[in-house]
């Protein structure tokens, strides 16, 4: 295969990245990707190699950043300071500050309000008849949930929805960065408020935490807030919308879910595998490492391509088949090891509730225009999904 370019956004908007990953898995599973507008990096595409790197935080560090970025942008400002961008032992200390909000008991307690919110969202979309599933359905529940956890007052949820839709959804790059800046400004005000009057929420936990024997700086708190709001909204939105499209493309599987609601739990795993919303995650080698016969030098960037690992036939028989009954289904969509997604349980519950409510209240979902894909090397999935919903 000539001219492999995994960082060309066209590939994700219009092309077939799975064809490229399939070739790499067979012919060059640890591939040296020469510099483009981004610096050169190793591209790791098979399941076993991706999993091995995720689980080896000593030799593959997160502290210099977990996403490819142009050399001219300099160091990632979150490097060594946010949950995702720290190594042990600081990573463990930071994770302990926010852990309890994502633990089983907290997530279980949120199920009834999540179910009511999902029912409202789906009812509104059905009443409207036609809608953009990405904007009107998939994006709403995760935003509401993460706002509640972070202590954003209910009266501000709609404003936050508007800002995150502009920052992470469709639209011009300039408008996206302005909206992102507005989100940070919003959190700066919330942080000031919670510093004066701490409450029982994630922002207060970050403001009052002692990590490494000192309080977090304002920048550190804001960067972690950003991490949580981005992680909490974008990925679930992409999984929900991509899952809906897969079910529309496989009507027999949608009918199966409607007939046997007990299958939804397994369907969520298949939706996560199929959609793999995080396209790549990066590490930096801390020592020379041999990986599948390739010599990786200290300081080299090593990228893990989740959507590729999740279509590896060696682990998932018939990997290109969408099958809500697939078992076992040990996909890597939520990462693995030390940095395993902290919102893994929350994301699974949000997706389960959303698909349970949809299967119960919607008989038919049909396309109502052209679905468009995101032009992104970082997140994988749909920008718009116009649909027509018919009530059950
Ligand atoms: C379908 C939904 C989701 C997907 C596909 C996803 C994907 C991932 C992946 C692949 C990682 C590992 C990053 C690494 O190893 O460097 C991760 C970590 C993380 N995710 Fe998620 N995520 C999802 C939902 C959520 C939710 C709901 C939250 C809620 C706040 C969240 C917050 C985070 C945070 C803070 C981390 C960093 C954890 C750490 O470094 O210890 N994610 N996520």
């Amino acid at each position: 295969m000539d001219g492999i370019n995994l960082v060309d956004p066209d590939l994700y908007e219009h092309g077939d990245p799975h064809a490229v990953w399939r070739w790499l898995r067979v012919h060059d599973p640890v591939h040296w990707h020469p510099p483009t507008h981004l610096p050169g990096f190793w591209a790791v595409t098979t399941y076993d190699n991706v999993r091995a790197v995720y689980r080896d935080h000593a030799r593959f560090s997160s502290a210099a950043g977990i996403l490819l970025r142009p050399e001219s942008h300099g160091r990632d400002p979150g490097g060594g300071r946010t949950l995702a961008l720290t190594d042990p032992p600081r990573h463990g200390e930071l994770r302990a500050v926010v852990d309890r909000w994502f633990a089983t008991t907290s997530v279980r307690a949120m199920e009834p309000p999540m179910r009511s919110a999902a029912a409202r969202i789906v009812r509104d979309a059905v009443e409207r008849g036609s809608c953009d599933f990405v904007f009107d359905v998939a994006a709403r529940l995760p935003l509401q949930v993460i706002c509640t956890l972070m202590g954003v007052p209910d009266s501000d949820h709609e404003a936050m929805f508007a800002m995150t839709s502009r920052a992470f959804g469709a639209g011009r790059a300039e408008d996206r960065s302005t909206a992102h800046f507005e989100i940070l400004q919003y959190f700066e005000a919330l942080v000031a408020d919670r510093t004066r009057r701490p409450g029982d929420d994630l922002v207060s936990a970050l403001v009052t935490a002692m990590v490494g024997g000192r309080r977090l700086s304002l920048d550190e708190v804001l960067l972690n807030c950003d991490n949580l709001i981005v992680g909490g909204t974008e990925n679930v939105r992409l999984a929900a919308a991509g899952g809906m499209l897969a079910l529309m493309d496989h009507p027999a599987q949608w009918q199966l879910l409607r007939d046997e609601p007990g299958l939804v739990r397994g369907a969520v795993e298949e939706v996560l595998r199929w959609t793999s919303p995080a396209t790549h995650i990066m590490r930096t080698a801390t020592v020379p490492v041999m990986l599948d016969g390739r010599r990786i030098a200290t300081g080299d960037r090593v990228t893990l391509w989740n959507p590729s690992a999740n279509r590896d036939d060696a682990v998932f028989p018939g990997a290109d088949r969408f099958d809500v009954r697939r078992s076992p289904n040990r996909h890597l969509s939520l990462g693995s090891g030390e940095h395993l997604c902290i919102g893994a349980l929350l994301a699974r519950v949000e997706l389960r509730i959303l698909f349970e409510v949809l299967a119960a209240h919607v008989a038919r979902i049909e396309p109502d225009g052209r679905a468009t894909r995101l032009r992104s090397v970082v997140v994988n999935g749909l920008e718009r999904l116009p649909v027509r919903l018919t009530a059950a």
Side-chain angles (χ1 to χ4, degrees):
M1 185 174 273
D2 289 335
I4 286 181
N5 184 356
L6 283 176
V7 294
D8 175 4
D10 269 350
L11 178 65
Y12 302 93
E13 190 181 10
H14 302 297
D16 181 5
H18 280 290
V20 183
W21 290 321
R22 195 175 304 123
W23 189 92
L24 285 172
R25 285 197 302 273
V26 174
H27 299 284
D28 196 7
V30 181
H31 168 75
W32 173 250
H33 198 290
T36 51
H37 63 293
L38 295 169
F41 58 90
W42 295 98
V44 181
T45 47
T46 60
Y47 182 95
D48 285 347
N49 287 338
V50 168
R51 187 168 181 278
V53 175
Y54 267 130
R55 298 181 77 82
D56 189 350
H57 60 81
R59 295 193 298 171
F60 296 102
S61 163
S62 296
I66 59 164
L67 296 173
L68 289 164
R69 55 193 267 125
E71 210 111 47
S72 59
H73 289 195
R75 259 182 71 86
D76 192 315
R81 305 163 85 191
T82 65
L83 183 54
L85 273 61
T86 37
D87 293 326
R90 188 170 172 82
H91 171 257
E93 277 192 72
L94 266 176
R95 194 147 166 143
V97 172
V98 291
D99 237 357
R100 84 172 167 85
W101 275 270
F102 300 96
T104 313
T105 40
S106 317
V107 176
R108 290 274 172 268
M110 290 184 74
E111 275 203 40
M114 276 197 237
R115 196 170 290 280
S116 316
R120 222 175 19 254
I121 292 164
V122 171
R123 194 192 52 226
D124 287 353
V126 170
E127 278 174 7
R128 218 172 306 141
S130 289
C131 69
D132 172 9
F133 192 88
V134 176
F135 180 83
D136 294 312
V137 181
R140 292 204 171 251
L141 183 62
L143 182 87
Q144 201 158 319
V145 170
I146 193 68
C147 280
T148 305
L149 287 176
M150 295 183 80
V152 173
D154 288 356
S155 53
D156 289 346
H157 284 196
E158 207 47 46
M160 187 54 84
F161 182 71
M163 284 190 281
T164 52
S165 301
R166 278 170 51 221
F168 313 133
R172 286 181 309 119
E174 285 149 48
D175 191 39
R176 285 211 299 267
S177 50
T178 308
H180 204 162
F181 184 67
E182 286 167 15
I183 294 172
L184 288 177
Q185 277 184 319
Y186 179 90
F187 276 110
E188 194 167 345
L190 191 62
V191 165
D193 180 65
R194 296 305 138 90
T195 307
R196 285 192 300 275
R197 288 177 298 144
D200 186 21
D201 55 64
L202 277 167
V203 170
S204 302
L206 287 166
V207 165
T208 52
M210 295 295 280
V211 178
R214 64 166 181 85
R215 293 228 190 277
L216 299 176
S217 68
L218 175 60
D219 270 6
E220 285 169 329
V221 173
L222 288 177
L223 286 163
N224 278 290
C225 288
D226 193 45
N227 214 195
L228 290 166
I229 198 94
V230 175
T233 53
E234 265 203 300
N235 287 315
V236 183
R237 179 191 82 218
L238 292 167
M244 195 65 252
L245 180 62
L247 289 162
M248 284 161 67
D249 288 342
H250 300 80
Q253 305 254 322
W254 171 243
Q255 195 53 47
L256 208 55
L257 289 191
R258 298 207 59 229
D259 295 342
E260 290 182 52
L263 290 178
V264 172
R265 223 173 262 271
V268 165
E269 298 310 314
E270 184 64 345
V271 162
L272 286 167
R273 183 187 77 88
W274 190 254
T275 57
S276 296
T279 311
H280 80 267
I281 296 289
M282 190 180 80
R283 298 289 188 256
T284 305
T286 57
V287 290
V289 190
M290 286 302 288
L291 184 66
D292 215 348
R294 303 300 299 264
R295 187 180 304 278
I296 293 172
T298 304
D300 279 359
R301 296 170 176 84
V302 179
T303 55
L304 313 177
W305 296 81
N306 287 346
S308 174
N310 286 336
R311 297 283 182 102
D312 188 337
D313 267 307
V315 177
F316 304 99
D320 289 326
R321 199 180 61 240
F322 178 76
D323 179 4
V324 297
R325 288 187 193 271
R326 183 180 293 280
S327 176
N329 194 348
R330 297 194 190 90
H331 59 78
L332 294 172
S333 290
L334 299 156
S336 184
E338 188 76 18
H339 288 275
L340 174 76
C341 177
I342 198 166
L345 176 62
L346 186 60
R348 287 181 157 117
V349 172
E350 288 175 10
L351 290 168
R352 175 168 57 75
I353 288 177
L354 187 59
F355 282 110
E356 279 170 357
V357 170
L358 282 163
H361 297 288
V362 180
R364 257 199 335 275
I365 305 199
E366 296 155 298
D368 190 31
R370 198 169 64 87
T372 55
R373 279 150 60 188
L374 283 169
R375 194 177 161 69
S376 168
V377 176
V378 174
V379 281
N380 183 30
L382 294 165
E383 184 178 54
R384 290 203 176 85
L385 179 61
V387 293
R388 230 177 6 260
L389 307 177
T390 311

